[in-house]
Amino acid sequence: FKTLRAHHAALAHGARYATRAHLYKDTLRAEIARGLALPPSAVQQAQARHREIQQSFAAFLTDFDYFLSPVTLVPPFDVDLPY
């Protein structure tokens, strides 16, 4: 998840980040920098794993008509934690 998130941040913001990094908050700058530093092999591995998870879940759903889950998967985040 973190690899693909960093990769997508770099794809979405990389061009602007190159000239306007000072306009981004610290956490997003760090995420973009991680994405820009990723080797292609790490992105390929993460994408392959993501496909495996999707295929596994699709196979799981072939046996069931419904998938129920709670609306809130985690407790609320602390408002003081940066994201």
Side-chain angles (χ1 to χ4, degrees):
F1 170 77
K2 291 181 181 180
T3 299
L4 292 179
R5 183 176 68 184
H7 176 65
H8 288 122
L11 288 176
H13 301 280
R16 282 178 297 219
Y17 177 78
T19 59
R20 299 185 180 121
H22 65 284
L23 297 176
Y24 290 87
K25 67 179 187 173
D26 293 342
T27 52
L28 187 50
R29 277 200 309 264
E31 190 77 14
I32 295 166
R34 274 195 300 277
L36 292 172
L38 285 170
S41 61
V43 176
Q44 290 169 344
Q45 286 176 328
Q47 289 171 334
R49 182 65 183 128
H50 186 247
R51 274 191 302 279
E52 289 172 9
I53 292 168
Q54 286 180 317
Q55 291 168 350
S56 175
F57 191 65
F60 170 80
L61 290 177
T62 61
D63 295 332
F64 300 95
D65 292 327
Y66 298 98
F67 180 75
L68 302 176
S69 67
V71 175
T72 304
L73 299 178
V74 297
F77 295 109
D78 183 347
V79 71
D80 295 323
L81 291 175
Y83 181 77

